[in-house]
Amino acid sequence: MTERGYMYATPLAAIGDKAFLEEQAAGPREVATAEADMRCKQRTSLLNTWFSVESRIQSAMIAMHGPALHRLRSAHAGKVAEAERILAARS
């Protein structure tokens, strides 16, 4: 981004730039910023790296908390089934 004249502190900063929050439609400056942002992310493979690291972290957390997550899934499925039964009875 710096190479193209943009100064953002983090990879997510351009997305949340307050200068673009007030506009209804993306203007030329916002479009140019978005294009530069995506080119930078593609050139550095940021999104692939981010996805890979995030996936490893999530997989480790799932493995560590597997039994609790399974109980939560079962409880959620039970609540959904009960809600569906109630709604079907009202029809």
Side-chain angles (χ1 to χ4, degrees), residues 44-82:
T44 62
S45 296
L46 175 72
L47 300 179
N48 290 335
T49 302
W50 204 330
F51 177 79
S52 177
V53 171
E54 183 103 8
S55 293
R56 282 196 303 270
I57 291 168
Q58 289 178 8
S59 293
M61 291 177 77
I62 289 167
M64 189 179 346
H65 301 287
L69 291 170
H70 181 72
R71 286 191 304 275
L72 286 171
R73 179 185 287 179
S74 295
H76 178 71
K79 288 178 182 182
V80 169
E82 180 64 7

Side-chain angles (χ1 to χ4, degrees), residues 12-64:
L12 295 177
I15 295 169
D17 191 330
K18 290 182 172 87
F20 306 133
L21 295 178
E22 299 296 322
E23 300 175 17
Q24 292 293 324
R29 183 170 158 242
E30 184 174 3
V31 170
T33 302
E35 287 174 348
D37 187 35
M38 282 310 302
R39 282 192 199 102
C40 180
K41 286 178 169 120
Q42 289 170 337
R43 184 176 49 81
T44 62
S45 296
L46 175 72
L47 300 179
N48 290 335
T49 302
W50 204 330
F51 177 79
S52 177
V53 171
E54 183 103 8
S55 293
R56 282 196 303 270
I57 291 168
Q58 289 178 8
S59 293
M61 291 177 77
I62 289 167
M64 189 179 346

